[in-house]
Amino acid sequence: MKLLLNALLLLALIPSLLALKPRLQAERPGPVVLVVDAEALREEAQSQGKSLLEVLEAYRALGIGGVAFPERFVKDWVSQGVLLYRGGRELLEAGLPAKPGWFYLKGEPWLVTHLATAYDLPTERLGPWLGFPLDVQAFPAFYPLEEIRAAKEAGFFVVVRPINQRYRRLDPSLPLVPKEADAVVFAGLEALGYPHRLEDAKDLVPVPVALIEGTPQPGLTAYQEKGTLRLFSLRYEWQLTLTPEEAADKYVLASRERGHQLLYLRPYPYRQDTERFLKRIREGLEASHIPLGQPRVRGFTPSPLRHAAWVGVASGLGLLALGLPIYGPWVAFLLLLLALGYAGSQAGALLAALVFPVLGFLGPRNGLWMWLRALGYALAGAVFLSALGSTPETVLGLQAFRGVSLTLLAPPLLVAFSFMRGNYKETLTRLFLHPLRLGEVALAGLALLLLALALLRRGNDAPLVPELELKLRSWLQDVMVRPRFKEVFGHALFPLALLLPWPRWVQNSLLFLAALGVASILNTFSHFHTPLPISFFRVVNGALLGLLLGLLGVMLVRRLRAWWLG
């Protein structure tokens, strides 16, 4: 039966691999565009007595190909002298029949005309003055159109940043996105029209929208049919704590390993630092063979061949049921229920992530063949997971994978469960009555600590990452696709566990920790927004580096053991 299930698993790999072709074609790196924030350049332009376009042209030589215009507030126009803003009582004192509790503005005719119909508020006219019943200073008030037109005519990629506001009128006769815009990046923490007017708002956005890395914006998925671009930016306060080279490396990494197409930049306070910053970005993109240019929407249609991956997942679930020494069918059935109930449409992908890291541990402990078997099953599971879970929503990052924590927690626990034998009651009794030794307690505490660290250190913003590891990460990502430390650590434990004469309980403990590294392989591929080739090379580099370190560890332990025993 196991032979048949393995044969079905291998047969399912072929169509599952073919099903990944549309995603691979959509994930080709680049082109990317370096977009500078227009407001961040405005002070520089004013200090030099130049127009914004003149400053932009100087930055073009440094690689800048786009400019982003945040939507202005009424108060911004007032501070620039384009509008005058007065309370109703002031106008009353000046002899105008204004309403005391109202607020009035006047200025550029085109802007006043636009604001007269921009909000769902009553208005009144007092000659050149336009009145509102509310203080509208913090209301969105469109863009500097002349600057936008000039930037577009000069060949820049134009991004606009509209602001969501509950009184904003969403009317097709009132264009909220200038016709010169190439993309939209919503300002603030929510998409335009969220939460109740998304259907009205999405018809007013005719260009692709951007998904900002690390900034969830509710309502963004409503704009998916317009196309989605991935954007990376650093919070300016944090950027200033980094050297230009450190900040640039983060932008290059985002483009190379996470598929970002818009790199949203703000200059450093000093021109020399900005030049170093942009030079390093250009060099990094060139070294990664990522061209600069106008970004394209990365859409794809999932292949129907992906459904064949369910045959592979079902075969893996069957192998788990047969391979566990006790209650195998029940465990497999519970995993199936868990995946269907928790992950819904992603149930197949979650099952692959939970089952395949365990299969390599269920066979004989035949040295490094066991490591190779575990790696092979994990990579097969990664193919099935990627085939079933790769959709435009998950690849773009609009929809997260359900069960990321489970992919790291459940497989090691299943591996530990596989160490139980048929006489498990006797085993548990002996374990309960076993006299504790200080060394065993220390090892058990270390195992629990490592398991907790594996869970707490998920993601790029994990809180428990030592400074030394951050520096090592930075060095590794300069020379290769950086492997995950959990995988390096897990692969290194296989030779230590299987090539040295440990007592059974020590070997089991080491294999339990090694299962963390194997589970991390599937966890790596569950980050669908990372391009598939990057995930693959990350896993391969982790396996090779971990195996090498493990073999070195075996040599060291053997020498230490020989010295200790005299």
Side-chain angles (χ1 to χ4, degrees):
M1 187 63 179
K2 288 185 178 180
L3 186 62
L4 175 62
L5 290 174
N6 277 302
L8 288 173
L9 191 154
L10 288 173
L11 287 174
L13 276 175
I14 298 172
S16 299
L17 283 168
L18 293 175
L20 297 178
K21 184 179 178 181
R23 175 179 169 182
L24 287 168
Q25 290 176 332
E27 286 181 331
R28 289 175 181 169
V32 302
V33 60
L34 307 187
V35 177
V36 66
D37 187 275
E39 297 306 316
L41 291 185
R42 195 167 301 283
E43 181 182 345
E44 181 177 342
Q46 292 173 344
S47 68
Q48 298 176 8
K50 296 180 179 179
S51 68
L52 181 68
L53 182 60
E54 289 175 315
V55 175
L56 275 173
E57 289 290 356
Y59 274 96
R60 195 201 295 268
L62 300 176
I64 294 297
V67 55
F69 290 90
E71 186 171 15
R72 291 186 173 176
F73 296 99
V74 170
K75 61 184 178 182
D76 296 324
W77 294 111
V78 173
S79 66
Q80 292 182 9
V82 177
L83 293 176
L84 288 176
Y85 195 76
R86 296 290 184 266
R89 189 165 297 279
E90 292 181 75
L91 296 186
L92 273 173
E93 293 173 355
L96 293 175
K99 297 179 181 179
W102 281 46
F103 300 86
Y104 296 82
L105 56 82
K106 72 174 182 178
E108 288 287 344
W110 74 268
L111 183 55
V112 174
T113 300
H114 172 80
L115 295 179
T117 57
Y119 316 120
D120 285 320
L121 294 174
T123 61
E124 74 166 3
R125 286 279 192 171
L126 292 178
W129 292 94
L130 173 66
F132 298 93
L134 298 179
D135 186 349
V136 297
Q137 288 191 84
F139 280 35
F142 214 50
Y143 307 91
L145 285 177
E146 290 300 323
E147 291 179 345
I148 289 179
R149 292 189 187 112
K152 184 65 177 178
E153 290 171 1
F156 286 95
F157 185 87
V158 174
V159 176
V160 295
R161 306 201 61 189
I163 300 166
N164 190 36
Q165 213 272 349
R166 60 177 177 156
Y167 291 113
R168 162 160 251 166
R169 183 171 293 165
L170 302 177
D171 190 322
S173 64
L174 300 173
L176 296 186
V177 176
K179 62 181 181 180
E180 293 83 4
D182 297 297
V184 162
V185 180
F186 294 120
L189 299 178
E190 56 192 28
L192 188 67
Y194 181 83
H196 302 300
R197 300 190 295 164
L198 286 169
E199 286 299 317
D200 296 329
K202 71 179 185 179
D203 294 331
L204 305 179
V205 179
V207 294
V209 299
L211 171 68
I212 306 172
E213 171 86 352
T215 306
Q217 291 179 307
L220 190 68
T221 53
Y223 296 85
Q224 186 179 344
E225 62 186 40
K226 311 294 184 183
T228 304
L229 301 169
R230 288 178 58 79
L231 180 148
F232 180 80
S233 180
L234 290 178
R235 189 166 49 87
Y236 191 56
E237 293 80 6
W238 185 35
Q239 177 184 324
L240 294 180
T241 67
L242 304 172
T243 67
E245 289 74 19
E246 289 172 337
D249 288 345
K250 294 185 182 300
Y251 280 92
V252 174
L253 184 69
S255 182
R256 184 182 71 211
E257 298 193 6
R258 300 201 293 279
H260 289 84
Q261 303 149 282
L262 299 181
L263 302 185
Y264 196 106
L265 314 168
R266 293 175 178 84
Y268 277 84
Y270 294 97
R271 177 80 177 199
Q272 299 91 325
D273 292 335
T274 302
E275 291 178 357
R276 287 166 52 197
F277 176 49
L278 294 174
K279 179 182 178 183
R280 180 67 170 247
I281 291 178
R282 295 199 319 274
E283 291 174 347
L285 293 176
E286 184 177 351
S288 301
H289 307 288
I290 299 174
L292 291 173
Q294 183 152 329
R296 53 182 174 80
V297 173
R298 292 172 176 168
F300 70 97
T301 301
S303 169
L305 292 174
R306 71 188 188 278
H307 298 300
W310 266 109
V311 176
V313 172
S315 300
L317 198 61
L319 289 171
L320 181 72
L322 296 174
L324 290 175
I326 56 173
Y327 300 129
W330 283 107
V331 171
F333 180 65
L334 289 175
L335 285 177
L336 178 61
L337 290 181
L338 172 66
L340 291 173
Y342 181 72
S345 62
Q346 297 182 350
L350 180 57
L351 266 179
L354 299 181
V355 169
F356 280 84
V358 185
L359 299 182
F361 292 84
L362 303 182
R365 299 185 181 183
N366 49 354
L368 291 183
W369 287 109
M370 181 181 180
W371 167 77
L372 193 60
R373 183 173 70 241
L375 180 60
Y377 274 121
L379 289 175
V383 172
F384 299 138
L385 178 146
S386 299
L388 290 171
S390 296
T391 64
E393 293 82 7
T394 58
V395 170
L396 288 170
L398 292 170
Q399 181 180 354
F401 178 61
R402 296 293 303 273
V404 173
S405 295
L406 284 174
T407 63
L408 290 175
L409 179 62
L413 293 178
L414 288 171
V415 169
F417 183 73
S418 73
F419 298 153
M420 303 287 289
R421 291 296 173 254
N423 57 345
Y424 66 94
K425 292 182 180 179
E426 180 183 343
T427 301
L428 291 175
T429 301
R430 287 203 313 268
L431 181 63
F432 182 77
L433 298 176
H434 180 74
L436 288 179
R437 299 173 183 174
L438 184 59
E440 294 172 349
V441 172
L443 287 175
L446 177 62
L448 291 173
L449 177 63
L450 291 173
L451 180 61
L453 283 174
L455 294 174
L456 290 173
R457 296 172 71 260
R458 292 187 298 108
N460 297 319
D461 300 321
L464 300 176
V465 184
E467 182 67 25
L468 178 61
E469 182 179 335
L470 289 174
K471 292 180 179 179
L472 185 56
R473 284 184 181 186
S474 179
W475 177 78
L476 283 174
Q477 70 193 24
D478 285 341
V479 299
M480 65 170 73
V481 178
R482 177 181 61 80
R484 302 178 78 181
F485 276 18
K486 287 188 286 290
E487 293 174 32
V488 174
F489 172 75
H491 290 298
L493 288 177
F494 272 100
L496 290 169
L498 300 170
L499 301 182
L500 292 170
W502 301 109
R504 186 76 174 187
W505 69 270
V506 174
Q507 188 182 63
N508 286 348
S509 300
L510 292 173
L511 289 175
F512 168 76
L513 295 175
L516 288 172
V518 179
S520 180
I521 293 175
L522 277 296
N523 183 268
T524 292
F525 280 92
S526 73
H527 292 81
F528 295 110
H529 60 273
T530 300
L532 271 175
I534 296 297
S535 294
F536 175 75
F537 285 112
R538 177 166 288 145
V539 167
V540 169
N541 290 341
L544 295 178
L545 183 58
L547 182 64
L548 176 62
L549 292 175
L551 292 174
L552 291 174
V554 169
M555 296 170 57
L556 178 62
V557 171
R558 283 176 175 171
R559 288 183 177 273
L560 287 174
R561 187 170 181 272
W563 170 77
W564 186 262
L565 297 176

